[in-house]
Amino acid sequence: MSTLRDITRKGLQCLRERGVDRVALDGEARVILQNWIAPPAADGRKTAERELSTPEQKIAYLRARAEHWSAARRLGTLRERMVFSTGDAHARLVLVGEAPGYDEERLGEPFVGKAGQKLNEILHAMGLAREKVYITNICKFRPSMGERQGTANRAPDPEEIAACLPIVQAELRAIRPACILCLGATAAHGLLGQQGSVGSLRGAWWEHDGIPVRVTYHPSYLLRNEALSARRAVWEDMLAVMEKLEIPISDKQRGYFLPRT
């Protein structure tokens, strides 16, 4: 059976025989072709990886690698479809969530279900557009619960997080944001190596590879807990992020979800 590489090679040969000597490629296609033809470097990485110059090229390269990431594939506990990231490769704010759920796996994009809608509302309240931040997950595949899983989801376990963590760390090196926001305990445990509840981790600044990190509740927490105190706790974390990013904060924004007097 012909592989995708074989089919691509034959297609390019046919174009050359017809006199076509230039082909338009997007960033991801260019990275994939470079990865196919580049000889291995001495340290085991492809030369192409070291030669990528823009964040977009680096993210495209990582997306292609994650698709066949053996450390995750060989576990046998993660589902087949890889869900990578969405947003701006030049973003000053990176949001790291848990893992794809049913809706994310179906649509191939993180945070597109009800929790994603809640996240969009939070970003809008901050004055940020979804497409201007970078959103990813600590685990790139939906954790499996067996053949009859349906719409049910579960959090990734430490082994599943560890398998995907090198990709996430490479994303952060490629983007070098001004701030990282961990959404939920799973993301915080994986990225920071810190245990404990969100309640014990939020309210302080942490650090990953020299980048400030804030921890807050996952948007799904607000779907289960509509108490004013819960919404205010998340919003206080958002205010801290806005201050770190030097985003102007109005008096109205500072007063969101405060008890009425």
Side-chain angles (χ1 to χ4, degrees):
M1 181 180 294
S2 297
T3 65
L4 179 58
R5 188 182 303 194
D6 294 333
I7 294 171
T8 302
R9 184 184 296 113
K10 290 178 182 178
L12 292 174
Q13 287 174 344
C14 288
L15 289 174
R16 171 175 276 185
E17 291 170 0
R18 289 162 49 190
V20 177
D21 59 3
R22 291 180 180 272
V23 179
L25 299 173
D26 61 20
E28 186 166 354
R30 185 179 296 109
V31 168
I32 291 172
L33 287 174
Q34 285 177 329
N35 201 24
W36 280 352
I37 65 176
D43 60 2
R45 294 184 301 170
K46 299 291 185 181
T47 302
E49 181 180 5
R50 297 204 304 262
E51 293 178 349
L52 301 176
S53 58
T54 69
E56 291 90 347
Q57 289 175 330
K58 293 174 182 178
I59 294 302
Y61 172 82
L62 292 169
R63 183 187 295 270
R65 289 202 69 188
E67 186 71 42
H68 307 286
W69 192 243
S70 60
R73 295 291 189 185
R74 65 172 173 252
L75 290 177
T77 60
L78 297 170
R79 290 170 61 89
E80 184 67 22
R81 186 172 189 184
M82 188 274 296
V83 179
F84 196 69
S85 67
T86 187
D88 187 355
H90 295 271
R92 299 184 67 229
L93 175 62
V94 169
L95 298 95
V96 181
E98 182 177 275
Y102 171 78
D103 290 311
E104 288 73 22
E105 182 184 57
R106 180 171 59 88
L107 298 175
E109 183 176 324
F111 283 95
V112 292
K114 291 182 178 179
Q117 294 170 16
K118 178 61 68 176
L119 178 61
N120 292 345
E121 292 174 8
I122 294 170
L123 291 172
H124 179 73
M126 297 171 71
L128 295 172
R130 177 183 172 97
E131 60 269 18
K132 293 301 182 181
V133 301
Y134 185 88
I135 305 173
T136 190
N137 279 313
I138 203 74
C139 182
K140 297 299 184 186
F141 302 83
R142 184 183 175 201
S144 176
M145 298 175 69
E147 294 182 0
R148 298 184 179 181
Q149 182 167 350
T151 60
N153 301 311
R154 69 168 175 85
D157 63 31
E159 189 176 16
E160 292 162 345
I161 293 171
C164 295
L165 187 58
I167 290 288
V168 180
Q169 292 171 328
E171 287 177 87
L172 295 172
R173 288 195 299 271
I175 297 170
R176 296 302 302 177
C179 181
I180 300 169
L181 181 62
C182 286
L183 301 171
T186 300
H189 296 167
L191 193 64
L192 299 175
Q194 296 286 340
Q195 297 304 307
S197 65
V198 173
S200 67
L201 295 173
R202 62 172 295 272
W205 284 104
W206 302 87
E207 185 178 291
H208 173 79
D209 194 22
I211 304 170
V213 179
R214 199 78 174 189
V215 178
T216 194
Y217 294 101
H218 193 280
S220 61
Y221 172 79
L222 296 179
L223 298 177
R224 303 188 303 268
N225 185 351
E226 297 184 355
L228 188 65
S229 59
R231 288 182 284 173
R232 179 62 192 184
V234 172
W235 186 243
E236 287 175 353
D237 297 327
M238 300 306 104
L239 290 175
V241 168
M242 292 170 71
E243 289 174 348
K244 180 68 70 174
L245 296 175
E246 299 181 345
I247 296 174
I249 303 173
S250 68
D251 290 340
K252 181 179 179 180
Q253 286 174 311
R254 290 195 184 278
Y256 285 167
F257 311 119
L258 284 175
R260 294 181 179 178
T261 56

